[in-house]
Amino acid sequence: MPIVTDTGFVPDDSPALVALEDIAVGGEGIALDMPLDADPEVVAPHFNRIGLIVIPFPSFADGRGFSLAQRLRALGYRGTLRANGHVITDQYPFARFCGFDEVQIDDALATRQPEDLWLAAKDRPVPPFLKRKAQAWVA
Amino acid sequence: MYRYDEFDHDYVRARVAEFRDQTQRRMDGALTEDEYKPLRLQNGLYLQLHAYMLRVAVPYGTLSSRQMRTLAMIAERWDEGYGHFTTRQNIQYNWTKLTDVGDILDALADVEMHAIQTSGNCIRNVTADHFAGAAADEIEDPRPTAELIRQWSTAHPEFAFLPRKFKVAVTGSPNDRAVTKAHDIGLRMLRDADGNPGYEVIVGGGLGRTPMIGKVIRDFLPKADLLPYLEAILRVYNLHGRRDNKYKARIKILVHETGIEDMRASVEAEFERQMREEGGPVVLADPKQVERIEAYFAPPAFADLPAKSDALDAAMASDPALAAWVATNTSEHRANGYSIVTVAIKGTGEAPGDATTAQMRALADLGERYSHDELRISHEQNVILPHVKRDDLPAVYAALQKAELASANAGLITDIIACPGLDYCALATARSIPVAQDLSERFAEPARAKAIGNFTIKISGCINACGHHHVGHVGILGLEKSGIENYQITLGGDHTETMAVGERAGPGMSAAEVGPAIERLVDAYLERRSNDDERFIDTYRRLGAEPFKDALYAA
Ligand code: HEM
Ligand code: SF4
């Protein structure tokens, strides 16, 4: 179950995930298993205790995770954000733009879409709106 | 017209290369068929009954003569010599080979065109009033708004995998020619009491198997707030729209199931949250870019002309066919001495919206010579020459006659909308083109069509309603019953600002029965209308469905 980052595949050494209903119990630096239908506002008060939030992708065609990531970032979450499940290389830049740091995929997918494809995905075309924005911010 | 900047140019080229790469990865097996499909669709490529179909975007229906010539060239070189203009203001090529797609996309990119997001579960190509920038009744040109939405929505990283397709339409006129209430989001430009520009935002309209008329979610949205507000609607939809059943996945179902009040509360909360963000919403449009877009849509330099054209009046006096065409196929322009010309792509006995290579070239020439190099595609599957001097109308008419595009039937009973149906479409349950052809022949006599007046017939080859049948005065829906085509008639639909969904008239009928039934219906209307100006839809509203149902089923 490799984790894809901008520099390639890295092994998974993250702590055990905590379910949302147990969020109040754990200590510092916890890793949260974020359900797709959960309200990010519920998690916001705990942001400073969370080191990793994992958002599931049951199917690459289910884009809820992108909005959820966006919402968490907009609410001020600054820890690591990971997409976990069926994400394809073509979606990697989208995931990054929406605030994900990394993607966890299963071994079968990692075989079918090996590391070099993920590394190449970083260079996929950037949406022009974002490029224009970037330019406006620089100016 | 809008001109690409460096980002558009780079992006469109990069997308062509990317699509070639995606297709290669499909062949290598890195992508499964399931994974490749949405990528292919988001590049406009469908797999149809006989071949691939490529759907090319004509953003908000506006194109230049040069672009039209490229569309003609593609039809000639890579298709069978024609293209199909659709109700989505796009053009479709029905005979595309997968191996040619990269080259076609490159040819499109040469003239600042593409097929991006013409399909798939994403924000689709934005449509707008086809009379934009020309209509006398316009408050504001909707195209800068549509272009801004195009830029924002192109490859929007968050909204490329929505529960279902998402269509946005914009009108700048109170007379809605953009069918805004049948879109996922409809925007109507207006002014508040102090004269500030903004939009009425309509959400949750749609046709398909569950037709719904869009509901107003915001009465007045200041113009500058548009993108954060759209972003809020899309985010709520992306998170909460149904994904368990594709027939219930459109935003119209979410609005219907949650209710417009709750929907509004969620959207407004998300909008407010963005507005509170430090430094303002990320998605706010850069005012410099907005200015740049607006400058491209500045009206062309119209000549200072008298409202009345003596040359035209003289020509019409000696040529009744010209006079008839001017009466039906021109509309009021905002500049004195100009007209908007509707070129009917609806020859008698032809497939609505199909244009040959030669016709596309003729249209390109006319656009260049007589219409400030501009053409439009309408959702009625016609082509518009938006800015024609009334003095030039006789010459334009003569050229259209040569190109066999001079049908004087805009808005009349033979100005039929029909989807591709079983002749091309993999989802079809019945043919729609032959039904349209049969009807266009039955009502071909110009005096009769003229006497009937404004009358819309819209035909779909299955429940998906691509032919807008729900909102036709008469809608015809092709179904299949034990292997035989069976057509259901709806009455009283309306696609304008007074939108209504047609009512089912009764049991379905065979293809052969449709023509005679519609003829009886029309006769019943002509007998009952209170005067020659009462349109069918008005008579229908006055008298109710009964007399018309009786006429349909009288045989
Ligand atoms: C030939 C291949 C086509 C396929 C496979 C196709 C597929 C579909 C499907 C599945 C729907 C229903 C969507 C829903 O309700 O969720 C639909 C709706 C629609 N399509 Fe098509 N279509 C095709 C061609 C066209 C053409 C040629 C046009 C324009 C003439 C068009 C315009 C529309 C419109 C306007 C709607 C209904 C409005 C709405 O979105 O609710 N489509 N199409
Ligand atoms: S209405 Fe049905 S038959 Fe017609 S184009 Fe749409 S999906 Fe195909």
Side-chain angles (χ1 to χ4, degrees), chain B residues 55 86-88 92 165 167 207 250 420 464 466 468:
Chain B
R55 184 182 286 164
T86 82
T87 51
R88 297 264 316 134
Q92 296 185 174
K165 60 169 101 168
K167 301 177 182 177
L207 300 172
R250 296 287 290 270
N464 287 320
C466 301
H468 288 189

Side-chain angles (χ1 to χ4, degrees), chain B residues 46 48 53 55 84-88 92 164-165 167 182 184 206-209 246 250 252 381 418-420 425 427 464-466 468:
Chain B
Y46 275 83
Q48 284 302 304
M53 180 272 275
R55 184 182 286 164
H84 179 74
F85 291 111
T86 82
T87 51
R88 297 264 316 134
Q92 296 185 174
R164 199 74 179 87
K165 60 169 101 168
K167 301 177 182 177
D184 297 282
L207 300 172
R209 64 186 64 214
K246 82 176 220 184
R250 296 287 290 270
K252 64 186 173 189
Q381 301 179 287
C419 79
C425 178
L427 303 177
N464 287 320
C466 301
H468 288 189

Side-chain angles (χ1 to χ4, degrees), chain B residues 125-138:
Chain B
N125 182 44
V126 181
T127 55
D129 182 355
H130 44 268
F131 289 173
D137 59 15
E138 188 171 88

